[in-house]
Amino acid sequence: MEEIVVLIVGAGPSGLATSACLSVHSIPHIILEKEDIYASLWKKRAYDRLKLHLAKEFCSLPFKPHSPDSPTYIPKDMFVDYLDDYVKTFNIQPKYQRHVESASYDEADGKWRIEAKNVLTGGVEVYVAEFLVVASGENSGKYIPELPGLDSFSGETLHSSEYKSGAKYESKEVLVVGCGNSGMEIAYDLSNYGVQTAIVIRNPVHVVTKEIVRVGMIFSKYVPIFIVDIMAVLMSKILYGDLSKYGIRRPTKGPFYLKATAGRAPVIDVGTVAKIKSKEIKDFKHVLNETGMPKNDFPHHWKGEKNLYCCGLSRRGLFGVSMDASAIADDIKKVVTEKLNK
């Protein structure tokens, strides 16, 4: 059994950022990561053409801004290099291939008991921590629904996290299910390789550009969200016109409001809409469904009871990760300091 002040679950950007903030405060901690590497989503399960959808000023982790000469929208490989440098700078050393199986709070001594399976040895390790931070991320798991006939489908079926490039599907027919950012960009990439591509558009979505999002995020610091939404929707209408005839319908609520309250991000267009309009990408089907993600209790989402925290689940991307990590570390420092002064 190992005792520690803070235990962090997950070594993605959320866990790394929390670790760095705690290190700055000289608070002992460990990170348990189920994979064999940190930032596994970025290093193992990101498609080749991926770039950060937000401008770099909104995507830096605490205490380390992106370099001035880096592009505004950072490519995947450059962001991975940034994470590598971040880990070296703060000497972050996660314990890998640890699957956390349970976490329980002991009311008697006011501490968390965490059990994790060591995949390498097969044994179960027990940790006791005063503070527990859940930093497993919003996109850590994949989900493929059980569809009638899918088990007998003779073609290839894969999740977006397993997709790398459209090169291997050249001259084939591919159906992309889902019109979120991954689905729309994968459809665009497939089409660029001459793949006969169709996409299922199930829910109403806002379609915007990276520039519209950047302007909106800047303005949101100074004006109410509803004004930002009016601006964003107006710019989108001017740029794209009425997309309903192509199966793309706008939600009744604004894009920034939906992101803040329900975690539903707008689709950031990389050229997919033009291909849908030209019928290079076909709209396979659309079903209007206003049901979105559960609402999040912002801005107090990161702190639970009994020294339990979560980082990176605010549905605000890397910008939210930095906010969460700093807030968690500051709060833990406050609690630790108060105990020492008693």
Side-chain angles (χ1 to χ4, degrees), residues 11 20 37 55 61 70 84-85 92 103 112 117 125 153 161-162 243 250-251 253 291 299 305 309 331 336 341:
I37 196 170
L61 299 185
S70 61
D84 289 341
D85 193 43
I92 301 172
W112 286 90
K117 182 178 181 180
E125 300 171 346
F153 177 60
S161 63
E162 301 167 312
L243 295 176
R250 290 188 182 90
K253 302 294 184 181
T291 302
E305 297 180 352
Y309 301 84
D331 194 70
V336 171
N341 292 335

Side-chain angles (χ1 to χ4, degrees), residues 50-333:
L50 179 65
K51 292 183 179 181
L52 295 183
H53 289 148
L54 300 182
K56 63 182 179 182
E57 61 263 35
F58 301 110
C59 293
S60 60
L61 299 185
F63 311 113
K64 193 172 181 61
H66 292 287
S67 63
D69 58 345
S70 61
T72 302
Y73 299 98
I74 297 177
K76 176 197 69 173
D77 290 343
M78 185 176 290
F79 185 66
V80 168
D81 290 341
Y82 167 83
L83 293 176
D84 289 341
D85 193 43
Y86 195 83
V87 168
K88 292 177 183 177
T89 299
F90 294 99
N91 192 29
I92 301 172
Q93 300 180 21
K95 290 190 173 186
Y96 296 112
Q97 294 187 298
R98 264 68 170 191
H99 285 235
V100 174
E101 297 184 330
S102 67
S104 57
Y105 187 74
D106 190 326
E107 297 284 354
D109 60 10
K111 292 184 179 181
W112 286 90
R113 177 187 170 93
I114 300 97
E115 294 186 359
K117 182 178 181 180
N118 186 322
V119 178
L120 297 175
T121 65
V124 175
E125 300 171 346
V126 178
Y127 300 87
V128 175
E130 189 172 351
F131 302 91
L132 175 61
V133 181
V134 180
S136 51
E138 297 174 1
N139 304 306
S140 58
K142 68 178 183 180
Y143 171 70
I144 298 180
E146 295 183 4
L147 301 175
L150 188 61
D151 55 349
S152 59
F153 177 60
S154 60
E156 180 183 359
T157 302
L158 73 158
H159 188 266
S160 61
S161 63
E162 301 167 312
Y163 177 88
K164 294 298 181 182
S165 169
K168 66 176 291 188
Y169 304 103
E170 189 173 352
S171 300
K172 295 183 178 180
E173 294 181 340
V174 177
L175 174 65
V176 179
V177 180
C179 61
N181 279 300
S182 294
M184 293 288 264
E185 189 160 358
I186 287 172
Y188 176 81
D189 188 59
L190 287 165
S191 180
N192 283 345
Y193 281 96
V195 179
Q196 297 180 54
T197 309
I199 187 168
V200 173
I201 301 177
R202 185 170 65 94
N203 294 328
V205 293
H206 286 286
V207 179
V208 295
T209 64
K210 292 180 178 179
E211 290 73 22
I212 291 176
V213 172
R214 187 183 188 187
V215 170
M217 292 188 71
I218 293 172
F219 270 83
S220 65
K221 297 179 181 178
Y222 309 103
V223 299
I225 287 293
F226 80 90
I227 295 179
V228 178
D229 276 337
I230 291 173
M231 295 169 52
V233 171
L234 179 60
M235 287 187 283
S236 178
K237 286 181 177 179
I238 292 172
L239 186 61
Y240 296 109
D242 182 10
L243 295 176
S244 61
K245 58 185 174 183
Y246 303 102
I248 303 174
R249 299 175 183 268
R250 290 188 182 90
T252 56
K253 302 294 184 181
F256 285 86
Y257 173 83
L258 286 176
K259 180 62 177 173
T261 61
R264 293 175 58 186
V267 169
I268 299 176
D269 181 40
V270 296
T272 312
V273 171
K275 285 181 173 286
I276 291 175
K277 285 183 174 182
S278 67
K279 298 184 179 180
E280 291 180 66
I281 297 175
K282 298 178 181 179
D283 171 26
F284 185 78
K285 183 180 180 182
H286 68 84
V287 178
L288 299 182
N289 186 343
E290 288 289 352
T291 302
M293 296 171 64
K295 288 188 177 181
N296 202 359
D297 188 15
F298 183 86
H300 305 295
H301 59 283
W302 53 269
K303 183 176 182 180
E305 297 180 352
K306 302 173 181 176
N307 295 340
L308 176 64
Y309 301 84
C310 66
C311 181
L313 300 179
S314 66
R315 297 162 176 162
R316 283 166 170 75
L318 291 167
F319 181 65
V321 165
S322 291
M323 293 174 61
D324 290 355
S326 298
I328 290 170
D330 288 343
D331 194 70
I332 291 177
K333 180 187 178 184

